[in-house]
Each structure stands twice: as structure tokens, then as C-alpha cells.
């Protein structure tokens, strides 16, 4: 009997430990790179065997934590009382204003761990994410168990821990703030709802204080915290209105109380609403400042502006290329919440909860009450006698009213939560994490509410439990299996070639050397090379995207070098100063296209003679476009990313500022298979390229099948690069829209098919044709091979 009582007492703890263990170990297995073969696995690990981060933003969080550990604040300097990051967006830098919770928690954990043993910061960052992310299963289980039972709680816990939208951003190796995006919303909402349903003032006040405190802490983790403030405010208001319409006595008459204060604290939902709003305003105003708090709430209404493809200037909006800002399709949503079954169960929880409000559900509520209260034998008769009573002092009646109020409250909460996040999804898929929370909780509630029906129709207790466990497995199978497969396929975006190239830059270039590349890898560059960058993931939506894209796309070497000189020495000042005189962005770009490729004296003549600038105006512009003291800078090009990203850098680089349009171009590169037959080298690749090399004669084309016949299209241009030297460079067909480049290294071939607009681009000439014929660019360092996906080239720009 004692053993049975102990098992019953500790059952929730045992369940929580089991669920936590499942979702935690699913996450941490990615740290061992199970999806990478043993031969190349070390290529994605540092010298300590710790894998490189799998997502580039992780390196920004890593660098901010390093800064905090080094000098006690984020960024490099304190300027006018603000932390300033001089590594990002050189030379001006930008404010290091960033939700600091991830830095504080990681720094504290690092110091704690290293007081016991030795572990590098990146090792701590690898492990802390899966641990904190997995903690979200605890509030999910507890809150849903409270309204339903263990079966509902288990389902909610598993879904919260494994839902793909959350799991794919919180595995070992993804060091970002997403790890807070489940646990804090659950704690904030859970404690607020519990406060409404709590009986005594003390408990209610404690829950409200906890909810407000966690909202404060969450504001230190994510700038989108404000949606929870609106969610809880709206839920409480709608709940009060619904109770009034349903004639449920939620707000009592003032005449029943001796004074206003006693009346106020005697109104459960109304008291919770006012107290939560007041506490939140006080706490958040202390942290953000009164105006900061108000600004955060007001600024939330402008979130939809992210989807404008055109900015206030004629330069393009880079946000259109960011995947998480694209509106997801319905299939995308289903995939990210774990499949159709969790989605349907989550949605159906709302009508199911509302259905429980019907008077005909009294018997079911009574059975639940009996099961939870477990009366002694000698008191059972008394409770059964009271079933027919309806007085206020009847515990059965009070329980039924309480259950119905809780069902109504949860139905309203889930409905508003789903509607808010469904609207948010129209602004981008980055809100899928938040959308998946009410879906997962609702699915747990649905499973929990099905337990009485299973118990009614399956009399054998053992079979009933097995059936319910099978139901949980059915609902949770999609997310769990998806998480398992995902975690077993992780491969970092960073490898030894990239890491070694950056450490070479760190060890062999001046401290003020600026690194230019496309923005995606900027955070990695600043963290590993400890050098400033032209732009990165925190400063991508600027005119620099246009100028860097143009520097890679243009076939004019002098223009490309001039663009990089301007950006790395004076940042935005060149084109901004010129625009102050022209008042026309398109005209300013036209002028810069003329003056950047030439020397300072020739540029001055163009400005004064061709565009009627005064001598003072011309010299003012030229001090930024042709500075006397150049900042040392390098251009870093890597195959693995820039080839696949070519559509976007060419799209922005080709941007037409007259009609606000751009056109993207692409490469398709594959390692080819080559065979020697009678002195002729036959080359085939999976991207459709076929070629033959016979001495000095080379032919190539794109092969495809149509109507059971094989056809070969000729390229516009054919380029053959053998061991760093261009041996063939010829126009084949003036009517073709594509070109072909064959790169041979150590008897292996890389076959590249590309839009003809890219055939003479600076990226093509610098990366694929080894910089042949160029005078402004000098190769400083090379890692890997051009023919593999890990090649990295570092160019000096003069």
C-alpha cells in the first residue's frame, strides 16, 4: 500500500523525467554529427572535437558572450552610454542592442562549469541549448495535466519538446535565442491562467507575480515578447464578456462587499487582468524605461512592413531573400507543427472544450470530481446524495462550475492564441514556433478529454491504458520521428576550410583589415577572424547589399575594386554624400558607376564637367569614394555558399533603380565523372553537362531527353580551366542563354552550368577561373579545392 502511494505521489515527477530525457537526447545526438561519415566528420569539428555551430547567427551570440566575459558588456566599446559593435558594419559599426538573456545565462553557465572542470565557451554553448529547450516539457505537462489528466499532459509535453518548428532551432549546435521561445510563453500564460482559476488571494497574487516576472525575463530574450501581453489581455477581456453573455456569475455585485478594495480582490478574472497589466507595466518600465515599454507595444503594429519589397529609398529590401520572413504555405505549416494529426487535434480542442460547457456534461464532470477527490467509503453516500443539489455550498456543484469556467477560459485562450499567430504567419514563417504552442497544447487537451470516452467503452483498465498510450503514440509519432531524422542528418555550414581561412586572416592581416563577402557568413567572420566586416546578418538590409552584389556581378574589374574600396574605407558616406547633391538615388548610382573605376583626378573631371558638381562638392564626394588612406581589406569567396546563393547576390546586384526590379542568375556545379577512351576524355555530370576533350579540341553541351530522344544544347560560352590556367575561352552559340565552365584539378573535373550573364562576372573570374587576367586582385590564401564544395579563396584588393 505504501509503495503504491509513493508511486502515485511521484508519478508526475517520473513522467516529467522520462519526457525530458526523450526530447533532450533527441537534441544532443546532433552534437556527434551522426549524419556525417566518420572519414569527414573531423572536417566539421574543431581541434577539441567540438562541432562547429550549425547556424551562422550562433556566432554572433557566441561573440557577444565573449565580449561580456571579457569586459562586462556586449560589443566593443561604450559610446555615449550605449554598447557599440565595431566589428559589424564597418566603419561606423552599429549599436550592440540585443536581448541579453542568452549572453547572461551562457556566461553564468560557463563560469559555473569551469569552476568544476575545463570546458571552452563553444562547448558550453553547444550543450546549453538542448537543455533549456527541453525544459519546456515541464510546464506543458503540468498545465495540461491540470485541466485534463496525465494522458493530455504527456501528449502536450512530447509535442512541445519535439514540434519541428521548435526542434529545428534548438538542437545541439544551434546557439540562438529560440531556446527560450517555448518555456517562457508557457510559464507566462500558464501562471496567468492559473491565477484566474485560483481560489485564494495569496495564491492568485503569487501566480500573477510569477507571470509578470517571466514576461520581464522573456523581454530580455526576444523582442517579440509583447504579443503575450496582448494575448493575455485579450483572453481575460473576452473571458469576462463571455461569462456575462453565458450568465456565469464571474463579476459579483458590489453590494455584497463592504468596500471597493474587497470587491476588487473578490473578482477572480477582473482582479487578475488589472493586476497583471499593472505589474507588467511597472516591471517592464523599470527595465525598458516607460517610453521603451510604450514604444515596444506601439512598434508591434508596424511588424507587417517587413514584407515590402521596396524600401523608402530606391535600393532593394534584402529581407525578401530571408527565408524566415517568407509567408509559409499550408503544407509548410503542417510540416512545422508535426503533421496533420497534431494539427487537427490541436484545432479540435477548441470546439471540444466548448462542447463541455453543455449542461449534459454534468455526469462526466462529476466522475472526474470523484476520481480526483477519492472520497472514503463512508462519505461516498453523502456525495451521491448531494448530486441532485444545486446550492452554492454544494462541493459537487462548485466543482462543476469551476470545471466549466476553466474549459471556457482555455477555449478562449487557444482560440485567440491561434488567431493571433495565424495572422502573424502572414508576415513570415519565423512565427511558426509561436503558432505551434497552442497547437501542441490543444492536441494535449484533445487527448486528455478523450480519456473518459475510452474508459466508458473499454471496461478493461489495462486495455484502456494501452489504447490511450497508442493514441498518444499516434499523435506524437510525426513530431518525434521528424525530430529523430532531422537530428541524425545535421551537418554544419562551417568546415575546416572556412575556419582555417579565418584564422589565417586573424594571424596574417592587420587588426583593421575589413572582410567583404555576402552577408550570411558575416557573424562567423567577426567571431573567428576577429576582423570587422562590410555587412552581416544584423545589417544586411542596407544599400550595401546592392553594392556588394554589383561588385560580384559586374565584369568590370576596376568598378568592382572601386566599390570595395569605397565600402571598406568610408562605408555609406560615398553614395550618401553624392545623393545629398543629386537628390536622386538612380542618378547617384549612375555617377558612381562612372567615377569608381577611374582614378581620383579623372573622377573629379567627370563630376564637375559631366554632372555639374562644384569643385567643393566633387572633392567632398571623392574623399569617400577615393580616400587618401585606404583601409586594408580582403574579399572572401567560398564555393559551398556563394555558388548556391548566386541568385540573390545577382538579383540585388542587378537591381534597376529606375523601375525597382532585379533579376537573379544561378550556377549549378557538380563534380563530373571523366573517362579516357582512345585518348579522348569524356566528361558527364548530374547537372546535364556532357563534354569531350581531344587534345586542343573541346566541345561541351547540356544534354536532355525529349520524346525518347537525346538532345544536346550548345552553350553561349565554353571555358576550360586546367590546373589554374584557362586553356579554352570561346563563344560557341550567340543564341544560347547559358554557359559552361569546366574546372580541372588533379585529374578531377567540376562541371558548372550558369546563366550567360554570369560568365564574365567577377565572382566567376575570381573563383572559377583563378583570377586570370586580373590586376586589382591578388590571391592571398586558399583552402580546399575549387572542385569540391569546401574551397575558400581570400583575395587582396588593391
Amino acid at each position: 500500500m505504501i509503495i503504491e502511494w509513493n508511486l502515485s505521489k511521484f508519478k508526475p515527477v517520473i513522467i516529467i523525467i522520462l519526457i525530458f530525457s526523450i526530447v533532450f537526447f533527441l537534441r544532443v545526438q546532433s552534437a556527434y554529427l551522426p549524419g556525417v561519415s566518420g572519414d569527414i566528420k573531423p572536417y566539421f569539428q574543431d581541434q577539441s572535437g567540438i562541432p562547429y555551430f550549425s547556424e551562422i547567427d550562433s556566432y554572433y551570440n557566441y561573440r557577444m558572450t565573449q565580449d561580456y566575459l571579457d569586459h562586462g558588456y556586449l560589443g566593443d566599446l561604450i559610446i555615449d552610454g550605449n554598447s557599440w559593435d565595431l566589428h559589424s558594419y564597418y566603419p561606423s559599426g552599429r549599436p550592440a542592442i540585443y536581448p541579453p538573456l542568452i549572453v547572461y545565462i551562457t556566461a553564468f553557465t560557463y563560469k559555473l562549469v569551469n569552476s568544476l572542470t575545463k570546458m571552452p565557451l563553444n562547448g558550453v554553448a553547444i550543450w546549453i541549448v538542448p537543455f533549456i529547450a527541453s525544459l519546456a516539457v515541464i510546464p506543458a505537462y503540468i498545465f495540461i495535466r491540470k485541466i485534463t489528466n496525465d494522458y493530455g499532459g504527456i501528449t502536450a509535453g512530447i509535442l512541445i519538446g519535439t514540434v519541428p518548428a521548435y526542434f529545428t532551432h534548438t538542437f545541439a549546435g544551434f546557439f540562438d535565442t529560440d531556446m527560450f521561445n517555448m518555456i517562457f510563453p508557457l510559464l507566462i500564460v500558464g501562471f496567468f491562467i492559473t491565477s484566474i482559476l485560483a481560489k485564494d488571494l495569496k495564491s492568485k497574487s503569487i501566480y500573477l507575480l510569477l507571470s509578470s516576472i517571466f514576461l520581464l525575463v522573456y523581454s530580455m530574450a526576444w523582442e517579440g515578447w509583447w504579443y503575450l501581453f496582448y494575448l493575455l489581455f485579450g483572453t481575460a477581456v473576452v473571458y469576462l464578456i463571455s461569462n456575462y453573455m453565458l450568465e456565469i456569475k464571474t463579476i459579483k455585485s458590489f453590494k455584497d462587499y463592504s468596500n471597493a478594495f474587497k470587491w476588487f480582490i473578490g473578482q477572480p478574472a477582473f482582479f487578475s487582468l488589472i493586476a497583471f497589466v499593472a505589474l507588467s507595466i511597472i516591471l517592464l518600465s523599470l527595465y525598458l524605461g516607460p517610453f521603451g515599454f510604450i514604444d515596444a507595444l506601439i512598434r508591434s503594429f508596424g511588424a507587417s512592413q517587413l514584407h515590402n519589397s521596396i524600401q523608402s529609398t530606391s535600393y532593394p529590401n534584402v529581407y525578401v531573400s530571408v527565408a524566415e520572413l517568407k509567408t509559409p504555405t499550408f503544407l509548410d505549416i503542417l510540416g512545422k507543427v508535426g503533421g496533420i494529426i497534431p494539427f487537427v487535434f490541436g484545432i479540435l480542442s477548441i470546439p471540444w472544450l466548448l462542447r463541455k460547457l453543455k449542461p449534459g456534461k454534468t455526469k462526466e464532470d462529476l466522475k472526474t470530481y470523484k476520481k480526483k477527490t477519492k472520497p472514503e467509503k463512508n462519505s461516498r453516500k453523502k456525495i451521491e446524495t448531494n448530486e441532485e443539489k444545486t446550492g452554492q455550498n454544494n462541493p459537487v456543484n462548485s466543482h462543476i462550475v469551476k470545471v466549466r469556467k476553466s474549459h471556457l477560459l482555455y477555449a478562449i485562450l487557444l482560440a485567440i492564441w491561434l488567431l493571433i499567430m495565424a495572422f502573424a504567419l502572414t508576415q513570415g514563417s519565423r512565427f511558426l514556433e509561436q503558432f505551434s504552442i497552442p497547437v501542441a497544447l490543444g492536441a494535449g487537451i484533445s487527448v486528455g478529454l478523450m480519456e473518459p470516452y475510452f474508459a466508458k467503452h473499454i471496461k478493461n483498465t489495462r486495455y484502456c491504458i494501452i489504447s490511450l498510450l497508442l493514441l498518444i503514440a499516434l499523435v506524437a509519432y510525426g513530431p518525434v520521428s521528424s525530430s529523430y531524422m532531422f537530428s541524425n542528418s545535421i551537418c554544419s555550414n562551417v568546415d575546416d576550410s572556412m575556419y582555417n581561412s579565418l584564422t589565417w586572416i586573424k594571424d596574417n592581416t592587420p587588426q583593421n583589415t575589413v572582410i567583404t563577402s555576402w552577408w550570411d557568413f558575416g557573424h562567423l567572420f567577426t567571431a573567428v577572424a576577429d576582423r570587422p566586416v562590410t555587412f552581416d546578418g544584423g545589417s544586411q538590409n542596407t544599400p550595401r547589399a546592392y553594392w556588394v552584389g554589383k561588385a560580384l556581378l559586374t565584369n568590370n574589374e576596376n568598378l568592382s575594386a572601386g566599390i570595395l574600396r569605397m565600402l571598406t574605407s568610408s562605408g555609406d558616406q560615398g553614395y550618401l554624400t553624392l545623393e545629398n547633391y543629386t537628390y536622386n538615388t538612380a542618378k547617384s548610382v549612375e555617377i558612381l558607376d562612372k567615377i569608381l573605376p577611374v582614378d581620383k583626378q579623372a573622377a573629379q573631371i567627370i563630376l564637375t564637367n559631366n554632372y555639374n558638381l562644384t569643385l567643393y562638392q566633387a572633392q567632398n564626394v571623392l574623399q569617400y569614394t577615393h580616400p587618401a588612406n585606404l583601409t586594408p581589406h580582403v574579399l572572401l569567396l567560398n564555393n559551398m555558399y556563394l555558388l548556391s546563393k548566386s541568385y540573390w547576390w545577382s538579383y540585388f546586384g542587378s537591381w534597376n533603380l529606375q523601375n525597382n526590379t532585379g533579376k537573379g542568375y544561378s550556377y549549378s556545379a557538380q563534380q563530373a565523372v571523366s573517362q579516357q577512351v582512345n585518348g579522348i576524355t569524356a566528361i558527364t555530370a548530374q547537372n546535364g553537362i556532357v563534354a569531350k576533350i581531344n587534345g586542343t579540341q573541346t566541345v561541351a553541351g547540356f544534354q536532355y531527353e525529349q520524346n525518347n530522344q537525346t538532345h544536346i544544347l550548345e552553350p553561349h560560352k565554353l571555358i576550360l580551366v586546367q590546373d589554374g590556367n584557362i586553356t579554352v575561352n570561346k563563344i560557341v552559340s550567340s543564341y544560347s542563354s547559358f554557359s559552361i565552365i569546366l574546372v580541372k584539378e588533379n585529374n578531377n573535373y567540376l562541371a558548372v552550368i550558369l546563366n550567360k550573364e554570369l560568365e564574365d562576372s567577377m565572382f566567376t573570374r575570381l573563383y572559377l577561373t583563378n583570377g586570370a587576367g586580373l590586376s586589382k586582385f591578388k590571391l592571398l590564401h586558399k583552402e580546399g579545392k575549387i572542385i569540391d564544395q569546401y574551397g575558400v579563396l581570400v583575395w587582396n584588393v588593391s
Side-chain angles (χ1 to χ4, degrees), residues 23 38 66 80 123 193 199 210 272 534 557 591 613 671 694:
V23 300
Q66 282 183 315
D80 295 330
I193 296 300
K199 290 183 178 180
L210 287 172
S272 294
T534 305
E557 179 189 6
I591 296 172
L613 267 68
Q671 287 198 34
N694 184 6

Side-chain angles (χ1 to χ4, degrees), residues 205-253:
S205 301
I206 292 174
Y207 292 137
L208 284 171
L209 182 60
L210 287 172
S211 181
S212 300
I213 289 174
F214 281 120
L215 182 63
L216 168 66
V217 176
Y218 192 40
S219 71
M220 301 170 65
W222 187 46
E223 293 177 345
W225 59 267
W226 44 261
Y227 97 87
L228 288 168
F229 182 85
Y230 288 126
L231 169 65
L232 297 184
F233 182 86
T235 297
V237 171
V238 174
Y239 176 67
L240 289 169
I241 296 173
S242 300
N243 275 302
Y244 175 78
M245 296 177 65
L246 295 172
E247 298 183 352
I248 300 175
K249 202 170 184 182
T250 300
I251 298 182
K252 301 174 184 178
S253 174

